[in-house]
Amino acid sequence: MVSDVLSGGRVLVLDGGLSTELESRGHDISGRLWSAQLLMDAPDAVVAAHRAYLDAGADIVTTASYQASPEGFARAGVDLATGSGLIRQSVLLALRAVEESGRPALIAGSVGPYGAMLADGSEYTGDYGDVGVDELRAFHRPRLELLAEAGVDLIAAETVPSLAEVEALLAELDRLGHPAWISLTTVGSRTRRGEPAAEAFALAASVPSVIAVGVNCTSPVGIGETVAVAHEASGKPVAVYPNSGEGWDAGRRAWTPAPPSQGLLLGDVDGWVTSGAQIVGGCCRVGPEQIRAIAGVVSSTA
């Protein structure tokens, strides 16, 4: 069990951006379903991308289900039965990659925020209009259940931009009882909605199935401060997996370059671990070579 590993103090290396690796291999992920499109079109490519991170030293790989919600599939013209099957397939593909690699890795079922389904950049603002906690719970419930039933080792509820969505996810994770982490996307010490991130992390403290909290898809600059806040507020281990420092332009659906001083800094990994991080990896625009480097830092400090 991953909780046993974390309680022993071991630092686990998480993979990087699955879509980043798929795109680097020439696959088109520009549609509404992002990498989930390849669950239908190129499942072997998903396995190969997982393998790239496993071969780079990842101890945890995340499924290609970030944007694979039943509602998101429906908006793309995929019926409920087929969409549910594709979410299950995301787990089977990750399992296949782990088996082929021979590496004893864990599988985290990726659950993206409501805004990822909207495909309008609102996962980086948390502005969902009149959508409240009850609607968010109903949206997340089917995918959480499907991933747990398919056999993931834990659920990764990630890139969560607001307190309301944290509340909804925690309620569903508590009901489900499957090991999970919940990870915010932040600006400094605040959620993308401008709320104190410490409040969100503190909400997770009373949910036993949430074995870690985290911060992801956030600039590497200053993320160590957020790791410390997450650990102190929740009393739990922290998952930290920043993006490359580049920005996402939702209108152009393109990445904007990071200033030279804001890229992924390997020298920060030790500080993250000191602040409470026990799961360390990367998010958007972080590929296998960066994960290999992170794995080297983690192994040298073990």
Side-chain angles (χ1 to χ4, degrees), residues 39-236:
L39 294 171
M40 296 182 281
D41 296 347
D44 288 347
V46 176
V47 175
H50 287 314
R51 279 294 308 272
Y53 286 114
L54 289 161
D55 294 344
D59 300 305
I60 306 173
V61 291
T62 51
T63 59
S65 53
Y66 177 88
Q67 210 145 342
S69 65
E71 188 171 338
F73 277 131
R75 290 185 173 213
V78 179
D79 64 75
L80 179 60
T82 301
S84 297
L86 289 169
I87 291 171
R88 294 188 187 95
Q89 176 166 280
S90 74
V91 181
L92 296 177
L93 295 177
L95 280 167
R96 181 178 141 198
V98 170
E99 290 169 358
E100 290 180 0
S101 74
R103 186 174 177 81
L106 300 168
I107 294 172
S110 176
V111 173
Y114 183 81
M117 177 273 295
L118 298 176
D120 62 357
S122 59
E123 68 261 50
Y124 300 118
T125 66
D127 184 3
Y128 302 156
D130 295 332
V131 176
V133 171
D134 289 344
E135 291 90 348
L136 290 170
R137 289 187 64 171
F139 167 76
H140 284 296
R141 187 176 303 131
R143 178 170 41 172
L144 292 170
E145 292 175 344
L146 286 165
L147 290 169
E149 291 167 1
V152 295
D153 294 293
L154 69 164
I155 289 166
E158 49 190 1
T159 325
V160 185
S162 68
L163 279 172
E165 195 154 18
V166 168
E167 182 181 341
L169 279 161
L170 288 175
E172 288 301 311
L173 291 170
D174 194 26
R175 184 190 63 83
L176 189 62
H178 196 85
W181 79 64
I182 186 165
S183 181
L184 304 183
T185 176
T186 60
V187 178
S189 61
R190 293 189 171 270
T191 71
R192 294 284 181 146
R193 289 298 285 160
E195 307 137 331
E199 290 186 22
F201 295 128
L203 290 173
S206 60
V207 182
S209 62
V210 174
I211 60 174
V213 298
V215 56
N216 78 288
C217 217
T218 297
S219 170
V221 176
I223 204 171
E225 178 184 346
T226 314
V227 172
V229 169
H231 184 57
E232 181 177 353
S234 69
K236 297 176 185 281

Side-chain angles (χ1 to χ4, degrees), residues 237-272:
V238 178
V240 55
Y241 46 123
N243 58 33
S244 64
E246 296 167 78
W248 174 249
D249 185 327
R252 295 192 302 115
R253 296 192 66 77
W255 292 95
T256 57
S261 63
Q262 293 188 15
L264 185 63
L265 304 175
L266 294 176
D268 291 342
V269 173
D270 285 345
W272 300 342

